[in-house]
Amino acid sequence: MDIRNYPAEPFKIKSVEPVKMINKEQREKVIKEAGFNTFLIDSEDVYIDLLTDSGTNAMSDRQWAGLMMGDEAYAGSRNFYHLKDTVKDVFGFDYLVPTHQGRGAENILSKIAIKPGQFVPGNMYFTTTRYHQEANGGKFVDIIKDVAHDSAAYDPFKGDIDLNKLQKLIDEVGAENIAYICLAVTVNLAGGQPVSMKNMKDVRELTNKYGIKVFYDATRCVENAYFIKEREAGFENAEIKDIVREMFSYSDGATMSGKKDGIVNIGGFLALRDEDLFLAAKEMVVVFEGMPSYGGMAGRDMEALAIGLQESCQFEYIEHRIKQVRYLGDILREAGIPIVEPIGGHAVFLDARRFCPHLTQDEFPAQALAANLYLESGVRAMERGIISAGRNRETGDHHRPKLELVRLTIPRRVYTYRHMDYVADAIISLYSHKEDIKGLRFVYEPKQLRFFTGRFEEI
């Protein structure tokens, strides 16, 4: 592997945060006390934290300066107008509803756009998104193309919606019974896989025939734009911001967690084109979040998010971001470690089925693998498989996704290539004695979003 294929960090380090490594005996005690759930480990006991890229990013000097410009007025904050103008500039939406984070926007959209019994088709579920859709009476239907469920298959745009599946659903249930299309860019649980511009256009063309709205999950949209520039003909010379703007021109609105491609530690929003939907959303934001001019955010955080959205569209930033993830994935692939192909934008995903073939899905191989990676190395990752999928509300049985994954999520502007080397070495070492990994069973199972707080024991 030629290190020259990976760009150097496009930033200088001005402030550092010390990390420490506790010994293996201590880590064994920690993981048992955490019920073999990496979400329940204290951060001070983690050496390299790849649990999530949500809110774990390093902000720039301009963003930190923006915090000092916070207008914390209860109504009419100037930072709201800066964020509103930025969303209009980057995404093209006229109406903005700030929320405390992405799931706040998902909740509001689900309440104003779903009637009980309606279907919400999407390109693979996401945990909190599907929860809010189902809690408001919707029925999620997966219409991603089949290749997305095969971790070893290569497809440059694995996140695309299968138009035949969408048409079939429309024919079966009727357009009036489809609340909206939920299109994620990129698709997290497929391995951070992008959606092509052509697919977005085609989805828009098909839904226009039936008057069906399309809302994007914009959480990692800049990463998606980079893949379009890299892989889709006609966009080689396009600016990242122009690609983002075109992507969203084919949608009616978007939810966004600013904690990812907004490069901030908290915040999100719902952006809309339709004024009537906006007025309905404003009523909901007052109930669940706060005044329409701050939602669930402080003025200083709206300012940092406005700056972060512009910074994320800089090519040097997003190129390094994508290729640092790819660097880790390339090392693992060359070592024969089973990962999701192609390598996505925000994380490298280990295929726990192939990593731990001695464990059945009911023995929770991804949860066990994540716990044992921490025990091996002090590296914290997270499960994305049967535990995250939850249970079927009607049958009570587990949802059984074809993908049983461990997500190694890289925070933005936080770690160096040498940190990635350490992570790779730890995974390769663990793979050499993977048969030692034992299956798990629940000792405490929450009814909702169980992966956050569930507890396990070894079988």
Side-chain angles (χ1 to χ4, degrees):
M1 189 175 69
D2 188 350
I3 188 65
R4 291 171 296 183
N5 292 330
Y6 308 93
E9 287 79 2
F11 51 81
K12 297 186 292 184
I13 296 170
K14 186 176 290 188
S15 179
V16 296
E17 177 183 348
V19 294
K20 68 176 182 179
M21 169 73 84
I22 61 175
N23 63 42
K24 190 169 184 178
E25 183 179 344
Q26 292 171 311
R27 294 197 300 272
E28 185 173 11
K29 182 174 182 289
V30 165
I31 196 64
K32 287 181 178 178
E33 289 179 350
F36 294 89
N37 186 345
T38 53
F39 276 94
L40 302 181
I41 299 172
D42 291 341
S43 65
E44 66 179 10
D45 294 325
V46 175
Y47 179 52
I48 295 177
D49 201 343
L50 307 185
L51 184 74
T52 182
D53 61 333
S54 179
T56 58
N57 310 293
M59 293 198 299
S60 71
D61 53 355
R62 293 181 65 250
Q63 287 178 290
W64 280 104
L67 292 180
M68 301 305 295
M69 300 293 289
D71 175 8
E72 307 305 340
Y74 192 78
S77 166
R78 64 174 175 268
N79 308 120
F80 166 76
Y81 294 106
H82 184 197
L83 179 58
K84 181 176 183 292
D85 291 344
T86 300
V87 169
K88 173 70 173 176
D89 177 49
V90 175
F91 300 98
F93 295 117
D94 290 321
Y95 302 109
L96 176 71
V97 179
T99 58
H100 74 283
Q101 59 185 57
R103 71 193 61 170
E106 293 168 352
N107 178 43
I108 291 171
L109 178 62
S110 297
K111 287 187 177 298
I112 65 175
I114 298 174
K115 297 176 183 176
Q118 284 188 315
F119 295 85
V120 189
N123 53 341
M124 201 173 284
Y125 82 99
F126 184 67
T127 52
T128 58
T129 312
R130 188 176 69 185
Y131 170 80
H132 288 299
Q133 291 167 352
E134 292 179 346
N136 285 282
K139 298 179 180 179
F140 170 77
V141 180
D142 189 0
I143 56 170
I144 201 169
K145 58 187 183 182
D146 289 340
V147 71
H149 296 283
D150 183 348
S151 67
Y154 181 87
D155 186 302
F157 292 103
K158 235 174 179 177
D160 283 358
I161 280 177
D162 185 322
L163 295 174
N164 292 325
K165 291 182 182 179
L166 176 54
Q167 183 66 65
K168 184 173 183 287
L169 181 66
I170 294 171
D171 294 340
E172 288 177 352
V173 306
E176 70 279 5
N177 291 314
I178 295 178
Y180 58 87
I181 310 300
C182 183
L183 180 61
V185 286
T186 57
V187 184
N188 188 346
L189 295 186
Q193 302 299 322
V195 179
S196 67
M197 191 74 80
K198 181 182 185 304
N199 190 247
M200 295 180 217
K201 290 181 184 179
D202 290 343
V203 170
R204 177 78 284 176
E205 182 179 348
L206 178 58
T207 54
N208 277 344
K209 294 179 182 179
Y210 298 96
I212 299 171
K213 292 188 181 298
V214 180
F215 293 102
Y216 287 8
D217 179 344
T219 295
R220 298 179 179 89
C221 61
V222 182
E223 293 174 9
N224 201 105
Y226 179 88
F227 285 122
I228 289 174
K229 180 179 177 68
E230 182 182 56
R231 299 175 183 174
E232 192 164 0
F235 293 94
E236 302 89 345
N237 300 316
E239 298 291 331
I240 294 294
K241 186 188 286 188
D242 293 337
I243 296 173
V244 172
R245 185 71 175 267
E246 182 176 346
M247 286 166 54
F248 287 88
S249 71
Y250 305 118
S251 73
D252 295 288
T255 60
M256 185 170 193
S257 169
K259 298 164 67 178
K260 286 82 167 179
D261 273 356
I263 329 180
V264 291
N265 306 124
I266 198 68
F269 59 78
L270 171 63
L272 298 163
R273 296 194 196 284
D274 184 88
E275 185 176 14
D276 289 338
L277 275 177
F278 170 63
L279 294 175
K282 281 210 301 184
E283 292 184 24
M284 289 293 100
V285 80
V286 171
V287 174
F288 290 101
E289 301 278 331
M291 279 289 289
S293 59
Y294 74 87
M297 299 179 69
R300 56 183 174 268
D301 293 315
M302 289 190 285
E303 187 68 21
L305 178 55
I307 296 168
L309 288 171
Q310 296 286 1
E311 289 184 352
S312 70
C313 290
Q314 296 169 359
F315 178 77
E316 293 78 13
Y317 156 77
I318 192 61
E319 180 190 37
H320 172 264
R321 188 319 183 253
I322 296 292
K323 290 190 175 179
Q324 186 184 46
V325 175
R326 193 172 295 170
Y327 174 83
L328 173 59
D330 284 346
I331 296 174
L332 295 176
R333 180 170 51 197
E334 289 186 8
I337 306 298
I339 63 172
V340 173
E341 301 274 5
I343 298 160
H346 68 296
V348 177
F349 288 71
L350 304 177
D351 186 335
R353 286 184 188 271
R354 290 187 284 152
F355 201 110
C356 301
H358 59 291
L359 299 179
T360 68
Q361 192 170 33
D362 284 338
E363 293 174 313
F364 310 149
Q367 189 75 33
L369 177 53
N372 277 269
L373 176 60
Y374 172 77
L375 179 61
E376 179 88 8
S377 63
V379 174
R380 174 159 64 171
M382 70 170 296
E383 181 268 0
R384 280 298 186 221
I386 191 172
I387 304 300
S388 291
R391 291 187 181 272
N392 185 301
R393 286 172 177 253
E394 296 176 358
T395 68
D397 191 15
H398 299 293
H399 287 295
R400 298 180 183 277
K402 293 181 180 179
L403 295 175
E404 189 72 25
L405 308 175
V406 170
R407 191 180 75 182
L408 308 164
T409 332
I410 316 301
R412 294 160 184 81
R413 303 190 292 208
V414 171
Y415 293 116
T416 67
Y417 287 111
R418 185 67 191 101
H419 287 110
M420 299 301 102
D421 291 336
Y422 177 85
V423 173
D425 290 344
I427 293 167
I428 293 166
S429 173
L430 181 59
Y431 192 65
S432 70
H433 59 96
K434 57 185 181 296
E435 296 81 7
D436 296 335
I437 297 174
K438 298 177 182 178
L440 300 174
R441 59 186 166 219
F442 272 110
V443 294
Y444 165 64
E445 181 182 356
K447 292 181 179 180
Q448 311 294 346
L449 300 174
R450 60 190 186 174
F451 63 93
F452 281 125
T453 57
R455 303 181 72 85
F456 308 85
E457 65 182 6
E458 288 185 328
I459 297 172

